Each structure stands twice: as C-alpha cells, then as structure tokens.
Amino acid sequence: MQATWTHRTVLLNEAIAALQVNPDGHYIDATFGRGGHSRLLLSKLSALGRLTAFDKDLDAIAEAKTIVDPRFSIRHEGFMHLGQLPAASAAGVLMDLGVSSPQIDNPVRGFSFRQEGPLDMRMDTTRGQSVAEWLADASIESMAEVIRDYGEERFAGQIAKAIDRRRQERGPLGTTAELAEVVAGAVKTREPGKDPATRTFQALRIFINAELEELQQALEASLKVLQPGGRLVVISFHSLEDRIVKQFIATHSREVFDRRAPFAAPKAMKLNALGRTKPSEEEVASNPRSRSAVMRVAERTGVLE
C-alpha cells in the first residue's frame, strides 16, 4: 500500500481574507502545494472568477489535477514565471513559501534528516542537480558559503570540512542519514530541541532550488500582474525569506527621490503595506509547523510603471 502524507495549510482563512476576494476576479496561487489555499479561494469565486496556480513539484501537479473546475488551471513551473501572465490581470497574488508536509514526510524526497532517503531535495525532480550530486564535487569553500549564507549556520566551515573528509574516506554522500550523521559530528552545540542538521538541510534545500532568487523574481513579477487595488499576500517560514519580502514591500511602499535631480517629482510608490500576521496560539498548538510563519500583505497602487 502506498503511504499517504497529510498537509495542513497554514494561515488558511487569514490569507484568503487578506486577499479581499472579488468573486469575479482573477487570482494567482503562486505556490499551489497541496491546494489548501486554492480550494478555499475557488469557493469564494463566481462563475466568472478565475484561479491560476503554479508549482514545480510533480506531486503538487498530480494533486491539482484532482480539481475538476473550469475556473482553475495549473502550470508546471516555478512562480517566477507568473510575470508571463497579462499585465494588470490579477486581483490578487498569494505566495505560501513553506515546504509542504508531504514533501518533508516522504523520505523519498530527501528533505528530512529524520528519515533515511536519497539525498535529493529538488522541488522539481525532472530537472537540475540533486543535493547528493552537488555535494559530490563542491569545494569546501563553496559548501561552507552555502551552509553559512542560506542556513545561517555558525559551524558552516566545520561542516564543510567534515563532508570533505567523509568524501575522501568513504566516497560521496548518498542519503539523508549519512549527511545528518556527518553534520551531527561537526556541530558540537545546538539550541535545545533543535536537531544539529536543521540549518544545513535548510541551506542545501534553498540553494539547490534557488529559492531566494526565485522569490525575488516572483515578487518583482507580481508588480506587473497585479491590477490597481490588487492584493499581494506572502507567507514565509524563515528569516531569509521574510527579510526579502519585508524589504521588497518597504522599498515599493515609499516615494523614491532622485538625489541627482533634487527638484524632480519623486517616483510614486507602487504598494501600500498593510502589515503582518502570525498564526494564532490555537493554530500553533494544533500544527507546530506553523509556529515560524509570518504573513505580510500589501496592496497595489495605481502606479503601473
């Protein structure tokens, strides 16, 4: 029997409420995942409404195909491609940046250090290098940089050297358990309750999927596709993502003056920042994976250039 893994959508009602859904509008679920947000959003739309979803994960695409609804379409590509949609065509863009529970819990995907599986971590398993392939040839310096910059890991240098020693003594790493063991031997102290491999696995996942670069591109694309008054809703799960979202909204929520032309009119702001939301105590208690989530909301102004 094939195993099944459940997923609980974080900030489900809050995110859809933040979109202020126009029943006749066109919406974009930029990260379909297992479809929790999409299904609730569809329930708010009229026969004239439309929902376009994006996802790189083949399992997510398979899940999306269970939604038989003429108002819904799914695109098998990353959300940086949402800029291919017509300009000012969307009443709202939703981005849930979390890794879904089925991705984490299925050992075959290689995201989890708690279960042994192939060291893969690709969101789209049809293209690109796996983590195992990258670690087989990466220099100590490159590994340390990735683990430090994307995992905010202070033992990045020691971990990179430990991986290199392991490669020389026993060959390339091939499983999540092997990597977790190497990291545990290199990380001597860790916060109570946190596995020593947490930051390293996060770093390698972010790097191998170019998650931060794609997020930046998707945010920029959202300015093009959102119509005036349209809402941008982004749920992030770690500080690196949230920092990018926060800075993006802040940058476009203020007038920009050109110091070289002090008497010229400033460039008008493209977004109105509408604040942030954290999961309730009840949600965190029932779904501990939601504890780090932060939702930021902004509204598109009428400035289209």
Side-chain angles (χ1 to χ4, degrees), residues 96-109:
D96 178 351
L97 307 179
V99 180
S100 71
S101 293
Q103 289 172 321
I104 296 171
D105 294 337
N106 183 354
V108 172
R109 302 302 304 274

Side-chain angles (χ1 to χ4, degrees), residues 151-197:
E152 300 179 298
E153 173 59 77
R154 59 194 175 107
F155 297 106
Q158 293 94 313
I159 293 169
K161 291 176 182 176
I163 292 172
D164 184 58
R165 284 195 301 272
R166 166 61 168 74
R167 292 186 305 194
Q168 294 184 44
E169 294 170 359
R170 296 165 57 191
L173 295 162
T175 71
T176 53
E178 290 172 351
L179 176 59
E181 180 182 9
V182 171
V183 175
V187 176
K188 303 305 180 183
T189 62
R190 178 54 74 221
E191 301 94 323
K194 179 169 284 191
D195 191 283

